[in-house]
Amino acid sequence: MAFDYKKEYKEFYMPQNKPSIVTVPKMNYIAVRGKGDPNDEHGEYKDSIGLLYAIAFTIKMSYKGSRKIDGYFEYVVPPLEGFWWQECSDTIDYANKNGFNFVSLIRLPDFVTKADFDWAVREATSKKKADFSKVEFLTYDEGVCVQSMHVGSYDDEPKTVALMHEYMKANGYALDISKSRYHHEIYLSDPRKCAVGKLKTVVRHPIRKV
């Protein structure tokens, strides 16, 4: 059976729908940076998702071709994630979607090296005749965070965030969003196939001990 990160690392991907504190280890990602409204059908965010999955599945299916990645095992591609921020702010204004900056992400298995990633970019570029120059290999050490499962519309996330911040303060922590630590979302539902009221999203914020 293929290794499923969501099932094997439930503390990071399947938290309860109430706040908790977690220490997230260093991980490697496929990443694409951009700006703008994520709902824009012709915007940078929609393009970033296509780029990410093209590289993710090139690596996943590498065992069927000439590239033999050392330590490879069959796995389920981890869920889509996103770091989000707006300039000069440590909060998210959900009404100002055009002001979003983002890094779209898909986690890489630990056996994937930078050389394997570079091969996948060349392979996808050759086979799909597309430009993958925006795609990068990103190593990120997220550290201590408060998180919760959010169920429902993305626009309703402030309710979940408020509970997270109350819990954080009650446990002696302060918010630590900065130019290098972000509002983080992990998307467990496909909005094309799931009713808005049932969407599941892990919402995570970086914190520091007071």
Side-chain angles (χ1 to χ4, degrees):
M1 184 176 293
F3 187 92
D4 189 335
Y5 285 85
K6 296 191 302 298
K7 295 178 180 179
E8 298 297 332
Y9 296 101
K10 290 183 179 179
E11 67 269 35
F12 304 133
Y13 297 104
M14 299 296 290
Q16 296 180 343
N17 57 348
K18 62 181 181 179
S20 61
I21 292 170
V22 64
T23 299
V24 185
K26 184 184 295 184
M27 299 180 190
N28 295 326
Y29 296 89
I30 310 165
V32 178
R33 300 173 189 268
K35 297 181 178 182
D37 185 345
N39 297 320
D40 183 351
E41 287 298 326
H42 303 290
E44 292 184 22
Y45 183 72
K46 297 291 185 182
D47 289 344
S48 76
I49 294 174
L51 295 172
L52 288 176
Y53 277 105
I55 301 301
F57 278 96
T58 297
I59 294 171
K60 174 180 169 63
M61 304 308 295
S62 61
Y63 73 98
K64 292 190 174 183
S66 60
R67 183 77 176 189
K68 305 303 178 185
I69 298 177
D70 188 35
Y72 180 95
F73 54 79
E74 291 194 50
Y75 63 97
V76 177
V77 172
L80 178 69
E81 308 184 34
F83 297 147
W84 297 90
W85 72 97
Q86 291 164 324
E87 299 298 336
C88 303
S89 177
D90 62 359
T91 61
I92 296 291
D93 179 2
Y94 289 79
N96 180 25
K97 292 182 173 60
N98 287 324
F100 280 149
N101 295 271
F102 65 83
V103 184
S104 290
L105 308 154
I106 293 179
R107 181 181 179 176
L108 285 167
D110 292 341
F111 59 73
V112 177
T113 65
K114 178 62 164 55
D116 297 321
F117 171 85
D118 290 342
W119 163 83
V121 171
R122 293 194 301 271
E123 185 79 356
T125 300
S126 174
K127 287 188 174 182
K128 296 184 178 294
K129 310 300 181 186
D131 181 7
F132 287 90
S133 60
K134 288 185 176 181
V135 183
E136 62 183 274
F137 181 95
L138 176 67
T139 300
Y140 191 73
D141 191 352
E142 195 163 15
V144 181
C145 299
V146 61
Q147 68 178 14
S148 180
M149 183 72 77
H150 172 74
V151 180
S153 168
Y154 304 129
D155 288 339
D156 290 337
E157 285 180 10
K159 297 176 184 177
T160 297
V161 168
L163 294 173
M164 289 164 49
H165 289 184
E166 289 175 10
Y167 181 84
M168 160 192 85
K169 292 175 182 176
N171 283 274
Y173 290 88
L175 188 66
D176 196 30
I177 286 178
S178 67
K179 291 183 178 180
S180 60
R181 304 189 77 197
Y182 311 101
H183 173 97
H184 186 177
E185 299 181 359
I186 303 174
Y187 308 105
L188 303 178
S189 306
D190 185 339
R192 299 170 300 178
K193 303 175 181 178
C194 181
V196 171
K198 295 183 179 180
L199 290 172
K200 290 186 176 181
T201 308
V202 180
V203 180
R204 186 182 292 162
H205 278 178
I207 57 176
R208 58 178 172 80
K209 197 71 176 177
V210 175

